Amino acid sequence: MACEILACCQFFNDNMKNMPKTAEYIEKRLCLGDYVSCNRFSIYKEFGGDHIPVGLHPDDAEEMKKVIQCLRNKMQS
C-alpha cells in the first residue's frame, strides 16, 4: 500500500531530483512500503493536516503546508 500523501509530497522533486537511483530506492522502501517511518507522514497523521506543529523547521513546515493544500485541492476535484 502506498503512502496517502505520496501524490502531494514534493520530497523527490525538491530534494532528490539529481539522484534518481536513490529516489527510486527511497520511494520503493518508504513511500510504497514502510511509510509510517516517514517524518512528513508522521507529522501529517499526528496533527491531522490541519495544524502544523510549533517548532518545526521552517522548510518542513512549508512543505507540510504544500502537502495539505495539494491534498485539499485533490479532494475538491
Side-chain angles (χ1 to χ4, degrees), residues 28-47:
K28 284 181 183 175
R29 175 126 195 244
L30 201 60
C31 305
L32 301 173
D34 185 25
Y35 55 87
V36 296
S37 297
C38 176
N39 287 339
R40 290 184 183 186
F41 177 79
S42 297
I43 292 166
Y44 174 75
K45 287 310 256 185
E46 183 175 344
F47 295 95

Side-chain angles (χ1 to χ4, degrees), residues 44-63:
Y44 174 75
K45 287 310 256 185
E46 183 175 344
F47 295 95
D50 293 324
H51 305 287
I52 308 278
V54 176
L56 193 61
H57 187 277
D59 291 341
D60 291 330
E62 186 61 32
E63 285 305 313

Side-chain angles (χ1 to χ4, degrees), residues 3 25 33 49 65:
C3 174
Y25 172 78
K65 288 177 188 176

Side-chain angles (χ1 to χ4, degrees), residues 1-35:
M1 180 181 206
C3 174
E4 64 190 79
I5 67 170
L6 178 59
C8 292
C9 184
Q10 293 296 308
F11 177 77
F12 298 106
N13 294 334
D14 294 344
N15 300 319
M16 306 296 286
K17 59 186 164 197
N18 295 325
M19 297 183 283
K21 292 290 186 186
T22 304
E24 181 182 348
Y25 172 78
I26 291 171
E27 183 177 25
K28 284 181 183 175
R29 175 126 195 244
L30 201 60
C31 305
L32 301 173
D34 185 25
Y35 55 87

